[in-house]
Amino acid sequence: MEINRHWSRLQRFTSRGSAGMLFLAAAAACLMRGLFFARELYGLLAVWFALCAAFAVLAGISGRAAGGRGSLLEGPEAGEGNTGGSHKAGNWMLIVLLGCPIILFALYAVQLLRGPLSVQGTLNELLRWGLYGSFAYFAAVCAVSRRGAGFLAALWHTLGMTLCLSGLLAACGLPLRYAIAYTDSAAVSATGARLGGLLQYPNAFGAVMAVFLLERAIAAAEAAARDSHRAQSTARQLLCTLPLFPYAAALLLSESRGALLAAACAAAAALLRKRRLAAPLLVSAAAPAAAAALLCRQLARAGLAAEPLPGLLLLAGCWAGALLAGLWLCRRCRGAAGGPFAAMLLAAGLWTAAGSAVLALLRGRISGPSPTAAARGLFYRDAWRLAGEAPWLGQGGETWRSAYLAVQSRPYVGSQVHSGYLDILLNLGTAGSAAVLLMLLAAGILAGRNAPGLLPPLLVILLHGAVDFSWSYGLFWLLLFLLTARALAESHQHRLTGPRRDAEMNRRASAQQAGTRVLLIAVVCFCLILSALSFKLWKGERLFSQAARSSEPAVQSMLLQEALHYNPYDPRIVVRFAGLLPQEEKEEQLLRSLEYSPGDAGLHWMLAEACLKGNEPGTALYWVRRSIELDRFNAFKWRSAAEGMLQMGRRALAKGDLQRAAASAVAGQELVRGYRLLALQEHIKGPEHNDRSFEFSGGTEEVDAELDQLIAAVYNVQPLQTTANSL
């Protein structure tokens, strides 16, 4: 009895503690722009890993009180009698799902030992996967608890409606900074305004809305199909169809073609597997789709800047109309004497009207040429070439962000590779890609076996991640693990049960107790180390922000030096601090920082600038060339490097050092010729994808003429005139 009482307390502690951790992560995802910017997460991660350590300690203590069983690290126990093959396969899939984030975490740790392209980027990814892995474990623990299914469903719907309504309310007139993205480019937005919500990026916001929309649409269709031959509970139907309209409206207002296509493909896959859902899905989602199209047209005319009162009334009216019409259609579909046929015809008419309204509004974006798709083709080709440099283990976290300026074949702007799969390949090579694919496969199998209705929204995450950088948002990984946990909670084979009191179970518990204690100590130590690391990074980021706001150089220098003490890996801090140092100290600081960021173009250029102010043309040319190799489509650097060589040559000539003056002038002319040739090649290719406006500037011609004059002064001859000029 005493063991059972301690076991019950352990179950309550683990389930409630896990629920609290899940809620914390979900709230942070809403408030921190979907967990996109790593520098915003350091404070959260410091608290998160500290709580994980405390949670593990308390769970271990409670487990020992329960007779050595029920530790957080032991995982869920199956109920008695569930020893079939499907149960064992489900356990293996769960182990794979929870183990792959640990493998990815370990691979990033290995990259730190090997010397990555960016230590800061690798640390960011390592901390992220520590968060994702622990979140997945808490979600699994919550799923196998007795009340876990209800909590996970409530958290899911709360998260979805918070994100959705925040965007819609902003479009209807309530102030929310950066919730709407405005543009003058018809290729980017057909209406000039796109809804980004709390994520502040329309494509990612649209993908999130597609995930929640498809989950509710499949649930509504399954409910309608299940109760087609009996009286339908109005409350159940109401809960299923209530969120359909806002999700659909938010998806349309985001104008995300990738999200729409991913949702369509996932829905088609679901209907191919369960053809009986086609008619219920058509009927239950017809009215919300039509109302969403109507709202989209009305708000688009106002540029998503409606007045608050009319906008809110329009939103409420469309929502109420969609809900009432949807319930009426579902009831007609269950009626007799031709009711289902008439309901199907009416639903088809509503779908046609909705499609016509959306096509009329977004025709240019849907049927016209897509410059963004062509640009992504360039990204992918350049990324494949970069991946070939380290195909097995990659080059560490944020490889594309660190190296895209060096490998880009055209002067585009894109610090994100726009493909989650390619991003993992660049970071961790085929080893990391295999782990991610295995994890996604395990998630798909768990969802398909336990809750097939959750497989389509999971497919949206997998499909959209292939064509955009949605996986750079931590929110998408949280959604994936939440979906899998909800599917796990649907299975009656995975429930925490009381301790089995047979002799075999007691012997097994005693044998595992020592190993569990060692594993528990390791987990606590790792969590404390990650918490301390996150705190140091947070402190460095905070001091850097304070220095950026200060206008006094002395205060800036003090704050930046302290920030560099806490975080010596961030190139932004180094560049800002080096700009306040004397010449010799600047070069030493930059050379030290290159050990942590060997591929950073900014550090190399600052070192080149420092050398251009010296008296060694060979050293200056070396660092200039290295800097330009890392950012060759930067017209400012080409021109500034040529001007720097000119000034160096003039200083040498004034001192009577003719050899250095001549060497500087010749080096400057080489830079001008390389700049002119590269600019000519880009001019021949045309202006498409020249996002950085890379061209040969007229001021460089003057610099070239002055370099000729410098050489003439060195050799005391007149500048040569070309045949064209003489004619």
Side-chain angles (χ1 to χ4, degrees):
M1 293 298 294
E2 185 69 18
I3 292 179
N4 288 335
R5 185 166 60 253
H6 284 298
W7 173 262
S8 179
R9 291 176 181 175
L10 173 63
Q11 282 186 307
R12 289 196 299 271
F13 169 76
T14 54
S15 61
R16 293 175 182 176
S18 298
M21 296 295 285
L22 295 180
F23 180 81
L24 173 62
C30 293
L31 299 176
M32 296 182 176
R33 294 183 276 189
L35 306 181
F36 180 77
F37 293 101
R39 60 179 179 269
E40 295 181 351
L41 305 182
Y42 297 142
L44 167 69
L45 293 173
V47 175
W48 175 272
F49 289 122
L51 290 176
C52 288
F55 190 89
V57 170
L58 293 176
I61 294 174
S62 300
R64 286 198 298 272
R69 297 194 42 76
S71 170
L72 178 66
L73 301 173
E74 290 180 14
E77 288 291 339
E80 296 183 10
N82 294 322
T83 58
S86 61
H87 170 59
K88 294 180 180 179
N91 279 346
W92 274 110
M93 289 300 101
L94 181 59
I95 292 173
V96 170
L97 181 71
L98 298 179
C100 284
I102 300 176
I103 294 175
L104 294 170
F105 177 89
L107 288 174
Y108 280 115
V110 170
Q111 286 289 356
L112 288 174
L113 299 176
R114 295 177 67 243
L117 200 61
S118 170
V119 172
Q120 179 69 50
T122 305
L123 284 175
N124 290 340
E125 292 299 321
L126 180 137
L127 293 173
R128 280 182 179 274
W129 280 101
L131 169 65
Y132 303 154
S134 54
F135 182 90
Y137 191 81
F138 286 130
V141 169
C142 193
V144 298
S145 66
R146 291 182 176 88
R147 299 179 180 178
F151 171 78
L152 289 172
L155 180 64
W156 174 269
H157 297 309
T158 302
L159 178 59
M161 292 305 295
T162 299
L163 294 170
C164 177
L165 291 180
S166 64
L168 288 180
L169 292 177
C172 291
L174 295 186
L176 181 62
R177 293 185 64 187
Y178 310 119
I180 301 173
Y182 296 99
T183 179
D184 295 329
S185 174
V188 176
S189 173
T191 62
R194 298 177 60 184
L195 191 61
L198 290 174
L199 303 186
Q200 300 179 7
Y201 179 56
N203 286 348
F205 181 73
V208 171
M209 292 300 100
V211 170
F212 284 101
L213 171 64
L214 205 54
E215 187 271 338
R216 281 295 83 194
I218 297 298
E222 288 181 340
R226 183 169 57 249
D227 297 329
S228 59
H229 300 295
R230 59 181 176 174
Q232 170 71 12
S233 169
T234 304
R236 183 193 303 172
Q237 189 68 28
L238 181 66
L239 290 177
C240 287
T241 59
L242 182 63
L244 289 181
F245 162 74
Y247 289 152
L251 173 58
L252 292 178
L253 290 172
S254 72
E255 294 188 31
S256 175
R257 294 169 298 184
L260 286 169
L261 183 61
C265 293
L271 295 180
L272 285 175
R273 183 176 180 180
K274 291 187 176 182
R275 294 182 178 87
R276 64 181 181 84
L277 293 180
L281 182 62
L282 178 68
V283 173
S284 59
L294 175 62
L295 179 69
C296 181
R297 283 184 62 87
Q298 296 299 320
L299 292 179
R301 291 175 182 175
L304 302 191
E307 293 294 329
L309 183 57
L312 293 176
L313 290 177
L314 176 64
L315 175 63
C318 290
W319 198 347
L323 188 58
L324 294 176
L327 292 175
W328 181 81
L329 273 177
C330 289
R331 294 186 64 181
R332 284 293 301 257
C333 194
R334 293 191 304 271
F341 181 74
M344 290 289 294
L345 285 179
L346 184 55
L350 290 174
W351 275 106
T352 303
S356 301
V358 173
L359 286 176
L361 186 64
L362 307 178
R363 181 180 291 109
R365 287 268 296 161
I366 295 176
S367 60
S370 176
T372 56
R376 289 177 188 182
L378 285 175
F379 295 168
Y380 299 159
R381 287 195 294 271
D382 294 342
W384 274 113
R385 287 194 295 108
L386 181 59
E389 298 179 5
W392 301 112
L393 291 177
Q395 301 187 61
E398 299 182 5
T399 293
W400 178 257
R401 180 187 294 273
S402 303
Y404 83 97
L405 292 175
V407 302
Q408 60 180 182
S409 55
R410 296 295 307 276
Y412 52 73
V413 176
S415 60
Q416 294 286 340
V417 74
H418 286 77
S419 174
Y421 298 95
L422 273 177
D423 200 30
I424 294 293
L425 181 65
L426 293 173
N427 291 353
L428 296 177
T430 53
S433 298
V436 169
L437 292 176
L438 189 61
M439 178 179 65
L440 298 179
L441 178 63
I445 292 175
L446 284 174
R449 286 181 175 176
N450 297 327
L454 298 180
L455 188 57
L458 187 66
L459 287 177
V460 173
I461 298 177
L462 306 188
L463 294 174
H464 194 268
V467 297
D468 213 328
F469 57 90
S470 52
W471 287 2
S472 296
Y473 287 84
L475 172 63
F476 282 86
W477 293 108
L478 304 191
L479 293 180
L480 184 141
F481 292 126
L482 275 179
L483 278 171
T484 311
R486 288 191 61 197
L488 186 64
E490 293 291 329
S491 173
H492 295 292
Q493 296 179 351
H494 299 84
R495 290 288 183 269
L496 283 176
T497 60
R500 286 180 281 179
R501 292 186 293 268
D502 52 67
E504 179 187 356
M505 205 64 225
N506 290 333
R507 287 194 303 269
R508 180 179 164 191
S510 300
Q512 290 181 347
Q513 189 172 3
T516 300
R517 187 179 296 112
V518 173
L519 186 58
L520 174 66
I521 295 173
V523 168
V524 171
C525 291
F526 268 112
C527 289
L528 292 177
I529 292 172
L530 293 177
S531 179
L533 175 61
S534 301
F535 176 79
K536 287 188 64 178
L537 296 177
W538 170 79
K539 188 68 174 178
E541 183 64 29
R542 184 179 180 186
L543 290 169
F544 176 73
S545 300
Q546 292 176 0
R549 293 191 298 266
S550 176
S551 58
E552 298 181 9
V555 176
Q556 285 186 0
S557 179
M558 181 187 65
L559 291 173
L560 290 171
Q561 187 173 11
E562 192 174 356
L564 203 60
H565 171 73
Y566 283 102
N567 183 10
Y569 316 113
D570 194 340
R572 298 177 305 143
I573 302 176
V574 176
V575 168
R576 193 70 175 266
F577 179 60
L580 303 175
L581 294 177
Q583 186 71 13
E584 294 183 359
E585 295 182 16
K586 176 189 296 187
E587 294 183 10
E588 293 177 0
Q589 179 64 60
L590 291 172
L591 287 173
R592 284 197 303 268
S593 299
L594 283 178
E595 298 178 2
Y596 302 124
S597 304
D600 188 80
L603 292 176
H604 282 82
W605 174 244
M606 199 166 192
L607 193 55
E609 283 185 317
C611 293
L612 285 171
K613 296 178 182 178
N615 299 314
E616 295 295 333
T619 304
L621 183 61
Y622 169 78
W623 287 108
V624 164
R625 289 196 178 280
R626 287 197 61 179
S627 174
I628 289 178
E629 286 175 0
L630 295 174
D631 188 10
R632 66 192 188 113
F633 290 111
N634 192 316
F636 171 79
K637 289 182 179 180
W638 284 101
R639 184 174 62 254
S640 298
E643 292 175 350
M645 286 298 181
L646 175 62
Q647 297 302 324
M648 182 184 292
R650 286 176 174 172
R651 291 195 301 270
L653 182 62
K655 295 177 181 179
D657 192 343
L658 300 183
Q659 184 178 1
R660 281 191 172 89
S664 301
V666 171
Q669 286 186 325
E670 289 180 2
L671 291 172
V672 172
R673 283 195 294 269
Y675 178 24
R676 182 185 287 111
L677 179 60
L678 184 60
L680 178 61
Q681 292 174 351
E682 287 305 308
H683 179 73
I684 294 173
K685 293 178 182 179
E688 188 179 9
H689 306 306
N690 191 0
D691 304 330
R692 304 176 67 183
S693 301
F694 180 76
E695 58 185 10
F696 191 77
S697 62
T700 311
E701 293 284 5
E702 299 176 0
V703 174
D704 193 23
E706 293 178 1
L707 287 169
D708 287 337
Q709 295 174 5
L710 177 61
I711 291 178
V714 170
Y715 293 103
N716 197 22
V717 297
Q718 296 295 324
L720 297 177
Q721 299 291 329
T722 63
T723 303
N725 289 338
S726 63
L727 293 176

